[in-house]
Amino acid sequence: MKARSSLYLGPAAAAAVKAGDDILALIGSLPRTLRTLQWAVQAAVGYKRLMMSLAPDLDPEGYNAAISNLHNFWAQRLTEVCRANGGVYVKAGQFAAAFGAVPNEYRKHLALLQDKAKPRPFHVVDRVLRLELGAGAEEVFAEFSAEATAAASLAQVHKARLADGRQVAVKVQYPGLRGAANADLTTLGCLSRAAQALFPEFRLGWLFEELQLKLTEELDFHVEIHNAQKLMSCMYPSSSSGGGGGSGSCSSRCSADSRCGVTVPTAHAGLCTSKILTMEWIDGLKVNDSAALRAARISPHAVGRAMDEAFAEMTFVHGYIHSDPHPGNIMVRPTGRRGLLSWLLRGTWQPFEVVLSLCRRGLLSWLLRGTWQPFEVVLLDHGSYLSISNRLRQQYCQLWCSLFAGDSAGAAAVAIDLGGQRAGQILPVILTQRGRNKEEQKEMQRAAGVASFGDITQLLATAPRDVVELLRIAAVVRNVTASLGCSLADRLRINGTWAFRGLPSYGSAWAGLGPDGDLSEADKKFAQMGYRVNIQARLLVIRGYLAVNAVLNRTLLATLHVFGQPVVLY
């Protein structure tokens, strides 16, 4: 009975416990603040000494080499500070690494940060469950693993089983996190203002503002449930429902639809609060684990294309985008169905399966799909989403259509509308990364007037916040899919296809898109039938070429398989 007495904590007692957690978290933030301030002061002194001892105009090569070495030195130490501090600092490091707003040396080191933390003891988790759900783990769930399956900066996840036998993942937010996050954000805000005062050319205040907004959303798990359900209702409106099980119905639709292959875990609304999230348990593979994907007979390249397709549809058609697509938040789940030729080669000869395979997939569908094992991409962690205006979505469609069509002048005109004159030069370079190697990319950046990372930070500091967030998401998705083998050609085709679909229909739909009802120069160009036909013709040609190429490649692989040759899936 003593254990159950905590079930009946009154509102005042529960509030007192939570306030106590916040105070303890605030006190615990002091070492993190001191550690960060020590790095900031030492780094500022080091940079000032270098600037006073070397003149970039007199010896540019020597200065660039010295500043690069200094960047590496302090970036490594900053990464150590973020890793030691954990929590918000890891999030901030990952956030900065996703942009071109910090030097490449910092991006390289900060990208090594992983959002992992030491799990809290079970009694701490059980106390949060009692405060939030009114009962402990052993009373709410039929089974509850005391060991966390994953622990990140804001919460940890436990595997559990409901009374009806369904396995679930229980995400538990750490106690006192809001107080600790506010203290850490205050420290980071002060540092960003100090950095801008000492180094005016580097405007990083916008980065802090974006991080603060993102964390505010992620600390309320109700927001995560709403975001996941809204995404499914956008992508599959005919199969979504408005209730708590909406994402579940979308999931079943997704696994049966050859076009989508995207789903989200089903949330159990009755076991969710602002600090507890109970959702469907997902058995799958990490999206960037190419070896595991190949072992499961899933093509990493096909996974990369599916991820590009999903985020392109979110961006260009719906304007509602998952804004934290790092590899830890994306899993790949085999759906268990195989194409006809794969089935034949494995020697299963039941006649009814032949008919079933012909009806479901068919030989040509298998050849075009480019993988022996169908799969679906599962999106996790829906705490932060970007919702853009219809006007911005249309402009972004125009920008990518212009890039796809090779219309540099048109792309620059749209980019100017999005972010000003400097954006017209820099945005196409940031989005496409067309250089075949680092030297060629640097040459393109110089031609575009991107002399240093300070130019990019100034662009990002003055550009609309939604444009900055779009660029960040695009950079993260590009890095993940590139690691899976997706090329610039893949990205241009996929983004060009969905951008064209996201354009308004030809004719009167363009009216009123510009300010005060006036069309911009870019709008006028896209209102011309000839320009749109040119883009559509390019898309058809490329699709035809890729379809023939896929058939030939898969036929070759199948032939090699028949003769016992090793087959490598791409």
Side-chain angles (χ1 to χ4, degrees):
M1 292 298 294
K2 184 178 179 180
R4 288 191 60 87
S5 63
S6 59
L7 302 184
Y8 304 105
L9 285 175
V17 171
K18 293 178 181 179
D21 288 339
D22 288 342
I23 293 173
L24 291 176
L26 185 61
I27 296 173
S29 70
L30 293 177
R32 298 193 296 272
T33 300
L34 293 175
R35 196 179 292 124
T36 307
L37 288 175
Q38 182 182 11
W39 175 88
V41 171
Q42 292 176 342
V45 172
Y47 279 109
K48 281 298 182 182
R49 283 179 177 174
L50 177 64
M51 293 178 179
M52 293 172 64
S53 61
L54 290 177
D57 296 335
L58 299 179
D59 185 13
E61 292 186 3
Y63 178 83
N64 289 334
I67 197 72
S68 179
N69 290 334
L70 195 61
H71 283 335
N72 268 315
F73 180 82
W74 288 114
Q76 182 178 353
R77 276 148 185 78
L78 177 60
T79 304
E80 294 171 358
V81 169
C82 291
R83 191 176 289 119
N85 287 346
V88 172
Y89 289 90
V90 171
K91 287 279 187 182
Q94 292 176 324
F95 204 68
F99 282 102
V102 293
N104 287 331
E105 294 83 358
Y106 278 84
R107 293 176 63 190
K108 180 181 68 175
H109 286 283
L110 292 174
L112 299 176
L113 287 171
Q114 296 184 355
D115 194 5
K116 294 182 179 180
K118 183 179 179 180
R120 303 290 176 90
F122 174 70
H123 69 85
V124 174
V125 173
D126 195 54
R127 185 162 67 93
V128 175
L129 288 171
R130 291 181 182 279
L131 288 172
E132 295 295 320
L133 299 179
E138 72 282 359
E139 295 156 278
V140 176
F141 303 97
E143 291 180 8
F144 191 93
S145 174
E147 297 292 327
T149 59
S153 55
L154 305 182
Q156 64 189 51
V157 178
H158 292 258
K159 188 174 183 179
R161 183 171 60 84
L162 299 178
D164 60 9
R166 287 179 293 175
Q167 290 187 327
V168 293
V170 184
K171 185 176 178 180
V172 183
Q173 189 178 118
Y174 300 131
L177 185 61
R178 293 179 186 273
N182 289 335
D184 291 341
L185 285 171
T186 300
T187 300
L188 292 173
C190 293
L191 289 179
S192 68
R193 290 189 291 272
Q196 186 166 334
L198 291 172
F199 309 101
E201 65 274 23
F202 305 141
R203 304 177 185 176
L204 299 178
W206 62 270
L207 193 64
F208 164 73
E209 293 172 2
E210 292 295 327
L211 175 65
Q212 187 176 36
L213 180 61
K214 179 180 171 62
L215 284 175
T216 300
E217 295 176 343
E218 291 190 1
L219 289 176
D220 186 353
F221 290 165
H222 286 133
V223 173
E224 185 166 345
I225 298 172
H226 168 77
N227 289 341
Q229 293 178 351
K230 183 175 178 180
L231 175 66
M232 289 292 97
S233 67
C234 286
M235 299 186 80
Y236 314 110
S238 62
S239 58
S240 298
S241 63
S247 58
S249 60
C250 291
S251 175
S252 61
R253 153 81 173 182
C254 191
S255 61
D257 189 340
S258 62
R259 178 190 70 81
C260 63
V262 178
T263 187
V264 302
T266 304
H268 298 272
L271 297 174
C272 296
T273 70
S274 63
K275 295 182 180 180
I276 301 292
L277 178 60
T278 305
M279 53 193 170
E280 169 192 4
W281 178 264
I282 300 295
D283 284 315
L285 307 170
K286 287 193 67 174
V287 70
N288 61 344
D289 191 346
S290 296
L293 291 172
R294 290 193 181 97
R297 300 190 63 79
I298 295 175
S299 164
H301 191 196
V303 172
R305 291 198 306 268
M307 183 173 168
D308 269 333
E309 293 268 4
F311 279 86
E313 181 180 350
M314 290 183 220
T315 303
F316 298 112
V317 176
H318 308 299
Y320 190 70
I321 313 133
H322 188 299
S323 63
D324 196 11
H326 69 79
N329 285 340
I330 303 172
M331 299 186 72
V332 180
R333 179 166 60 181
T335 58
R337 291 180 290 114
R338 294 173 292 179
L340 173 63
L341 191 53
S342 174
W343 168 81
L344 288 173
L345 291 175
R346 295 188 185 196
T348 304
W349 291 95
Q350 290 87 350
F352 73 92
E353 287 201 22
V354 176
V355 177
L356 193 61
S357 186
L358 280 170
C359 294
R360 285 184 174 176
R361 293 285 178 180
L363 175 60
L364 185 60
S365 176
W366 179 87
L367 289 172
L368 293 177
R369 189 176 68 241
T371 176
W372 285 358
Q373 172 80 308
F375 61 88
E376 59 185 0
V377 176
V378 185
L379 300 179
L380 308 176
D381 196 352
H382 300 267
S384 180
Y385 267 68
L386 173 64
S387 182
I388 60 177
S389 67
N390 189 56
R391 175 57 177 162
L392 175 56
R393 184 182 63 80
Q394 298 288 359
Q395 288 178 311
Y396 204 58
C397 289
Q398 291 175 357
L399 177 59
W400 270 102
C401 282
S402 299
L403 292 171
F404 176 79
D407 183 5
S408 300
V414 180
I416 290 172
D417 288 343
L418 283 171
Q421 193 66 37
R422 290 291 292 144
Q425 297 174 298
I426 297 177
L427 274 183
V429 176
I430 293 176
L431 288 173
T432 59
Q433 301 287 320
R434 284 180 179 270
R436 289 171 293 185
N437 52 54
K438 290 184 177 180
E439 291 302 319
E440 185 173 335
Q441 184 62 31
K442 288 181 179 178
E443 182 59 35
M444 292 182 63
Q445 290 177 350
R446 284 193 290 269
V450 186
S452 68
F453 70 90
D455 292 324
I456 298 179
T457 61
Q458 290 177 14
L459 166 66
L460 297 176
T462 56
R465 297 276 65 79
D466 285 350
V467 174
V468 173
E469 185 70 355
L470 273 176
L471 295 178
R472 184 189 67 81
I473 296 170
V476 176
V477 173
R478 180 176 65 240
N479 290 337
V480 174
T481 58
S483 71
L484 295 170
C486 288
S487 63
L488 172 62
D490 291 321
R491 194 162 63 250
L492 280 175
R493 175 189 62 83
I494 292 171
N495 286 345
T497 299
W498 284 101
F500 189 80
R501 293 180 186 178
L503 293 174
S505 58
Y506 178 77
S508 59
W510 289 98
L513 277 181
D516 302 322
D518 297 327
L519 297 180
S520 67
E521 291 301 317
D523 293 334
K524 292 176 182 178
K525 179 177 289 189
F526 277 88
Q528 298 172 8
M529 176 65 79
Y531 192 78
R532 294 164 68 94
V533 168
N534 174 46
I535 296 173
Q536 195 162 26
R538 284 173 177 261
L539 287 171
L540 290 174
V541 170
I542 290 179
R543 282 180 185 172
Y545 166 78
L546 291 175
V548 172
N549 188 57
V551 169
L552 294 177
N553 284 339
R554 300 305 298 176
T555 303
L556 175 62
L557 290 176
T559 304
L560 292 174
H561 187 95
V562 168
F563 288 98
Q565 298 298 317
V567 177
V568 178
L569 293 177
Y570 294 98

